[in-house]
Amino acid sequence: MLLNKYYKGKIEAGCDEAGRGCLAGSVYAAAVILPEGYENELLNDSKQLSEKKRYQLREIIERDAVAWAVGIVTPDEIDKINILNASILAMHRALDQLKVRPEAIIVDGNRFKPYKDPADGKTLPSTTIVKGDGKYLAIAAASILAKTYRDDYMNELAKEYPQYDWLSNKGYPTKKHREAIKQYGITPYHRKSYNLLGDGQLSIDFGKF
């Protein structure tokens, strides 16, 4: 089973994001505070779980968590501040919404920016953990929430733009997705700062949508 805590004796929030490598759609992040001593042998990195298992675990996480929240950064914002900054901003937005204030933060990956508690302006201690979503329960829980809520969002966008196969690829750069961009141009949800065609060129008709 994954570890319960990194910071002993502190209210700890785990954070992770979903959608960083996508060509389209917002980036989502979640923050989760789990109870002290919490155990759940099923929790793991969302990428290691089936879609059905992720949605089953989302219900369990939302029921059991002391607090949880999801933060979103739009494609327009991604284009303005870059995806790394957008991913961190999405985590900060998730942390801002927590009903219980954390005293420390653990983050999946190796990059994060200091987070100040909006209530008192104090910078909370934080630690980045490479592959943390496979090591700590709260980060795994955050990865599941970020992934499933982003999938829900992309499934809705797919109804509006079915030709890009977002139901299957969720905005990631699959061959079918890139072929659709070549054929139909881009949508308002595509990230214009990305190499959308995958050939080193940004030669796209931005006026089609």
Side-chain angles (χ1 to χ4, degrees):
M1 190 176 70
L2 307 189
L3 299 171
N4 178 267
K5 272 288 186 72
Y6 181 89
Y7 290 94
K8 307 303 180 188
K10 291 184 181 291
I11 299 171
E12 178 179 280
C15 291
D16 200 3
E17 54 76 29
R20 186 168 166 175
C22 294
L23 303 180
S26 299
V27 64
Y28 275 55
V32 179
I33 300 173
L34 294 172
E36 191 77 32
Y38 183 73
E39 295 183 358
N40 187 327
E41 293 182 358
L42 299 176
L43 278 183
N44 201 352
D45 168 12
S46 64
K47 296 184 289 297
Q48 303 299 319
L49 302 169
S50 67
E51 181 180 21
K52 181 180 180 182
K53 184 63 70 177
R54 284 195 294 267
Y55 280 96
Q56 289 173 341
L57 284 168
R58 181 168 88 177
E59 292 185 16
I60 294 170
I61 294 162
E62 292 177 356
R63 180 194 71 202
D64 293 352
V66 172
W68 66 271
V70 174
I72 302 167
V73 176
T74 67
D76 284 344
E77 290 177 300
I78 292 168
D79 287 337
K80 288 173 184 170
I81 64 175
N82 81 44
I83 188 59
L84 174 61
N85 288 325
S87 298
I88 295 170
L89 177 58
M91 292 184 206
H92 283 205
R93 286 177 175 173
L95 289 162
D96 285 346
Q97 297 174 67
L98 289 173
K99 298 289 196 297
V100 174
R101 299 314 307 157
E103 298 169 338
I105 306 160
I106 53 175
V107 180
D108 181 58
N110 61 3
R111 301 291 292 276
F112 192 63
K113 291 183 178 179
Y115 173 77
K116 293 183 178 180
D117 192 307
D120 58 17
K122 290 183 180 178
T123 300
L124 301 186
S126 62
T127 297
T128 58
I129 302 167
V130 174
K131 297 185 178 177
D133 49 4
K135 297 174 182 175
Y136 286 88
L137 289 168
I139 300 179
S143 79
I144 290 166
L145 295 191
K147 170 66 175 165
T148 54
Y149 277 102
R150 189 178 186 281
D151 283 357
D152 290 346
Y153 155 78
M154 290 305 299
N155 290 344
E156 285 302 307
L157 295 189
K159 295 176 184 176
E160 192 176 353
Y161 295 102
Q163 60 269 48
Y164 298 90
D165 196 34
W166 289 341
L167 274 177
S168 297
N169 63 50
K170 304 298 188 269
Y172 281 92
T174 61
K175 183 180 179 182
K176 191 170 180 179
H177 188 181
R178 283 197 153 124
E179 286 176 349
I181 293 171
K182 289 178 184 177
Q183 183 175 354
Y184 300 105
I186 64 164
T187 71
Y189 302 107
H190 278 97
R191 303 173 184 177
K192 298 182 184 69
S193 57
Y194 276 46
N195 177 11
L196 297 176
L197 295 178
D199 56 3
Q201 302 295 318
L202 279 170
S203 54
I204 298 167
D205 181 1
F206 289 117
K208 280 197 174 184
F209 286 91

